């Protein structure tokens, strides 16, 4: 039975609907300002062109001597670097954006819910960035080297800058989402939808599924598929380990009371 002497943690936090809308507007404005500031800084240094050069560096390093990317559209040399600038600005400002989201929802959460949400927000962001970095610094170099090793000597590769941007974004998204596997496992276990024992029993099916997903979302080469599937399998095991710890540290007070009652019985 819940302790009647326990104060309601949300007492006094209720706000009228209009005030919620005003606060949401303020949070959105602050997030947009952060993105705009990051975009302004990146526009002057290093600049949109330099950002694209940085993004294209893994491919350029594996092209034949003197080969470069090409633009098949008249406005591509302007629009593509501008798109990269906007995406880079959002990425740089993402911690501020996530903080604004957290600050908006936090007053309506109980203490045990805050212990649940905040670590998930931070860890999911960190894992997404790690997935992108792993793709850029490791996977791209291996994939481009593998692809160029099959190119006939009579062909001079000249990739289009828009197609390369689309390829890079697809790979970044694939690896960023794949690295969220521990978060999904933890959430499913914490919500009681799947038990730890069932997660362990599902291990074999997940391995097969990881290789199927890698075959679908990555280029048709062994290097990129293994680079995606193997980390997903490892992160699945990490998620099972993290779920045990997370469940213990984010229990609600009534759950603790019920656990003690079950132990006493």
């Amino acid at each position: 039975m819940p302790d009647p002497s326990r104060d309601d943690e949300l007492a006094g936090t209720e706000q009228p609907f209009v005030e919620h809308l005003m606060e949401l507007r303020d949070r959105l404005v602050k997030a947009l300002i952060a993105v705009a500031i990051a975009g302004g800084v990146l526009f002057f240094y290093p600049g949109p062109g330099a950002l694209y050069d940085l993004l294209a560096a893994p491919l350029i390093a594996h092209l034949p001597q003197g080969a470069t990317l090409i633009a098949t559209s008249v406005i591509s040399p302007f629009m593509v670097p501008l798109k990269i600038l906007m995406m880079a600005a959002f990425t740089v400002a993402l911690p501020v954006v996530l903080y604004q989201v957290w600050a908006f929802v936090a007053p309506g959460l109980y203490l045990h819910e805050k212990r649940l949400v905040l670590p998930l927000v931070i860890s999911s962001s960190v894992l997404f960035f790690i997935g992108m970095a792993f793709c850029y610094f490791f996977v791209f170099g291996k994939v481009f080297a593998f692809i160029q090793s099959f190119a006939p000597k009579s062909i001079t590769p000249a990739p289009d800058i828009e197609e390369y941007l689309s390829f890079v974004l697809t790979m970044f998204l694939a690896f960023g989402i794949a690295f969220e596997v521990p978060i999904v496992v933890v959430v499913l276990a914490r919500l009681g939808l799947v038990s730890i024992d069932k997660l362990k029993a599902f291990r074999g099916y997940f391995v097969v599924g990881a290789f199927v997903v890698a075959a679908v979302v990555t280029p048709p080469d062994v290097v990129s598929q293994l680079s995606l599937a193997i980390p997903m399998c490892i992160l699945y095991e990490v998620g099972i380990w993290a779920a045990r710890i997370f469940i213990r540290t984010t229990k609600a007070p009534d759950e603790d009371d019920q656990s003690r009652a079950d132990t006493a019985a």
Side-chain angles (χ1 to χ4, degrees), residues 232-251:
M232 287 180 66
C233 296
I234 296 174
L235 290 170
Y236 184 78
E237 298 298 327
V238 173
I240 295 176
W241 171 78
R244 288 200 191 99
I245 300 175
F246 204 73
I247 290 174
R248 289 199 304 264
T249 58
T250 60
K251 283 185 177 180

Side-chain angles (χ1 to χ4, degrees), residues 53-97:
D53 291 340
L54 180 64
L55 192 66
L59 176 60
I60 296 296
H62 293 89
L63 290 179
Q65 186 68 28
T68 61
L69 281 76
I70 62 172
T72 57
S73 173
V74 175
I75 62 174
S76 291
F78 171 76
M79 291 302 300
V80 173
L82 191 61
K83 291 178 182 178
I84 295 175
L85 174 66
M86 292 187 291
M87 290 182 291
F90 180 78
T91 302
V92 171
L94 187 58
V96 178
V97 175

Side-chain angles (χ1 to χ4, degrees), residues 162-184:
E162 289 195 57
E163 292 184 0
Y164 178 70
L165 175 61
S166 177
F167 169 80
V168 167
L169 293 181
T170 301
M171 292 290 285
F172 277 166
L173 189 61
F175 277 84
I177 294 177
F179 274 60
E180 299 293 327
V181 167
I183 305 300
V184 176

Side-chain angles (χ1 to χ4, degrees), residues 60-260:
I60 296 296
H62 293 89
L63 290 179
Q65 186 68 28
T68 61
L69 281 76
I70 62 172
T72 57
S73 173
V74 175
I75 62 174
S76 291
F78 171 76
M79 291 302 300
V80 173
L82 191 61
K83 291 178 182 178
I84 295 175
L85 174 66
M86 292 187 291
M87 290 182 291
F90 180 78
T91 302
V92 171
L94 187 58
V96 178
V97 175
L98 292 177
Y99 172 78
Q100 297 303 326
V101 174
W102 167 249
F104 178 73
V105 302
L109 300 177
Y110 290 102
L111 181 60
H112 69 277
E113 292 174 332
K114 293 179 182 179
R115 292 201 302 264
L116 172 66
V117 175
L118 184 57
L120 291 179
V121 170
I122 296 175
S123 57
S124 61
S125 303
V126 172
L127 286 172
F128 192 87
F129 286 138
I130 292 176
M132 291 177 60
F134 177 76
C135 181
Y136 179 84
F137 290 105
F138 177 78
V139 178
F140 280 168
K142 302 297 183 183
V143 170
F144 296 147
F146 180 81
I147 293 175
Q148 291 304 317
S149 67
F150 280 85
K153 300 297 182 182
S154 58
I155 296 178
T156 300
D160 178 66
I161 59 175
E162 289 195 57
E163 292 184 0
Y164 178 70
L165 175 61
S166 177
F167 169 80
V168 167
L169 293 181
T170 301
M171 292 290 285
F172 277 166
L173 189 61
F175 277 84
I177 294 177
F179 274 60
E180 299 293 327
V181 167
I183 305 300
V184 176
V185 172
V186 168
V187 171
L188 291 176
R190 180 61 186 85
L191 295 179
L193 300 177
V194 182
S195 66
I196 299 295
D197 292 334
K198 287 185 178 180
L199 288 171
K200 292 180 179 178
F202 189 72
R203 184 182 288 122
Y205 298 99
F206 182 85
V207 171
V208 175
F211 278 90
V212 172
V213 170
V216 172
V217 302
T218 61
D221 65 274
V222 178
V223 176
S224 59
Q225 293 174 8
L226 290 177
S227 298
L228 182 62
I230 293 176
M232 287 180 66
C233 296
I234 296 174
L235 290 170
Y236 184 78
E237 298 298 327
V238 173
I240 295 176
W241 171 78
R244 288 200 191 99
I245 300 175
F246 204 73
I247 290 174
R248 289 199 304 264
T249 58
T250 60
K251 283 185 177 180
D254 56 341
E255 290 179 313
D256 290 333
D257 295 341
Q258 184 63 40
S259 298
R260 287 193 291 268

